Amino acid sequence: MEVDTCTSPRVNNVSTSRTSVIMDNAKALAQAGVPIISLCAGEPDFDTPTAITQGGVKAIMEGHTRYTPNAGTLQLRTAICRKLQEENEIVYSPDEVLVSNGAKQSIFQAMLAVCSPGDEVIIPAPYWVSYLDMAKLADATPVILKSLMSDNFLLNPDHLKSKLSAKSRLLILCSPSNPTGSVYPRELLTQIAKIVASHPRLLVLSDEIYEHIIYAPAMHTSFASLPDMWERTLTVNGFSKAFAMTGWRLGYLAGPKHFVTTCAKIQSQLSLCANSISQSAGESALRMGKAGGEVVETMVTAYRERRDFLLQFFKDLQGVKVSHPQVALVPGEAFGDDSCIRISYASSIPTLQDAMQRIKKALLQLKPLISLA
């Protein structure tokens, strides 16, 4: 008798993360000896700062290697509350914070917690690759709102207003944006907040994972800090980007207690809690000073130098248009815009120089076949 190999239609309806696929392929090619340069992952090339790794080692040596409370250690949640109040002007109590195995888990649990079948999740495009499929897994309907390079890929409030309905349940805002690097100015967020306020069922998931990788004059504004938006906002953040902690898998969600408790219920059945050692390391990260202190500032300065190098390179390349990113090579189709590519500049200047020469050579070979204008 043959085994039924059918899999769930819910899973069949989603795709594997394109970023993950390309990362794996690039690593396989490198292991096979192919001289490939990967600019696909938004992963810092810096080592985790020593103060953080020492915090993790200390946790291991002191035996902090067991399960923690479902929502995370009280010490870490208290530190997160302090950070959010001092840096983001949002006030939470520890029972309004849920620590998870990465911001990605936080986002998915939030969608599962607030969306019912048929609800709409509003996703501005270009978007982070996982939003779309997470919405599908939550039995929600993704509604994609295209944005324009001429608007710096920022959501147009009138466009948003025209797409909202009684089915609209969750608006996703990612600022600073992955993949475009754009930062939503406070004035624009205020306009969006007024629209959100006119729709009783509409909540906002504010993905702020890149908040510290930002360049003046741009300034980060947390959506929950805007008037009357605290009750409607689920703020997601984490340690991967600013603190070069991608492999530690540590993120968090902050919001009204009834939503956070529901997310914690889901987490209790998935992973129970975040990694205990990573949580101790996260405490150490939050003790490094405002916005990560001088260590994070040094990394951000390097990112800016890399960004400026890429901007100059592409400006000098005929037929290529560039959006000016305010933060830190995947096909744009994976991010909802197949007319673009997303380049991560979390690599050294020499690596980027080599990569750009290869891209230039490839474009010159394509030029007789297609127009780049």
Side-chain angles (χ1 to χ4, degrees), residues 52 56 59 64 76 99-101 239 245 247-250 274-284:
I52 299 174
H64 300 301
L76 178 56
V99 179
S100 302
N101 293 287
F239 297 80
M245 292 178 66
W248 296 77
R249 309 311 303 132
L250 190 66
N275 182 313
S276 61
I277 300 161
S278 295
Q279 290 189 59
S280 294
E283 287 183 59
S284 298

Side-chain angles (χ1 to χ4, degrees), residues 103-316:
K104 196 168 194 173
Q105 182 177 3
S106 300
I107 293 169
F108 186 35
Q109 289 175 167
M111 287 199 199
L112 289 173
V114 304
C115 293
S116 300
D119 280 346
E120 293 179 346
V121 176
I122 314 301
I123 307 174
Y127 48 76
W128 178 53
V129 293
S130 293
Y131 293 145
L132 185 73
D133 289 302
M134 285 181 175
K136 292 178 181 178
L137 284 169
D139 284 334
T141 302
V143 176
I144 307 303
L145 271 60
K146 293 282 188 180
S147 61
L148 303 174
M149 184 182 290
S150 58
D151 293 331
N152 205 23
F153 290 120
L154 295 172
L155 178 60
N156 183 298
D158 291 332
H159 191 196
L160 171 63
K161 190 184 300 184
S162 71
K163 293 295 183 179
L164 295 178
S165 70
K167 294 182 179 180
S168 303
R169 180 56 172 160
L170 189 65
L171 167 65
I172 297 179
L173 291 176
C174 182
S175 179
S177 170
N178 177 9
T180 68
S182 299
V183 177
Y184 277 77
R186 189 179 187 89
E187 297 75 17
L188 178 55
L189 290 176
T190 300
Q191 293 180 53
I192 293 171
K194 291 178 180 178
I195 296 171
V196 170
S198 65
H199 291 264
R201 292 192 69 237
L202 187 60
L203 304 174
V204 174
L205 191 152
S206 184
D207 183 350
E208 303 181 10
I209 190 70
Y210 282 95
E211 67 164 333
H212 292 321
I213 306 178
I214 191 170
Y215 317 125
M219 295 181 64
H220 174 67
T221 298
S222 287
F223 195 78
S225 70
L226 299 176
D228 302 320
M229 288 298 109
W230 188 95
E231 296 82 0
R232 290 175 174 266
T233 305
L234 302 171
T235 300
V236 172
N237 210 324
F239 297 80
S240 292
K241 311 302 182 180
F243 296 103
M245 292 178 66
T246 51
W248 296 77
R249 309 311 303 132
L250 190 66
Y252 58 88
L253 175 143
K257 184 176 179 180
H258 50 280
F259 291 132
V260 172
T261 300
T262 304
C263 291
K265 184 190 302 183
I266 296 169
Q267 180 164 298
S268 73
Q269 300 295 352
L270 290 178
S271 61
L272 179 60
C273 61
N275 182 313
S276 61
I277 300 161
S278 295
Q279 290 189 59
S280 294
E283 287 183 59
S284 298
L286 295 179
R287 285 195 292 265
M288 288 170 56
K290 187 174 182 179
E294 292 183 7
V295 174
V296 172
E297 184 180 354
T298 298
M299 289 191 279
V300 173
T301 298
Y303 292 139
R304 180 161 198 161
E305 291 173 355
R306 298 167 184 184
R307 181 203 67 163
D308 292 347
F309 163 75
L310 290 178
L311 285 174
Q312 188 59 52
F313 177 86
F314 282 116
K315 284 178 182 177
D316 295 339

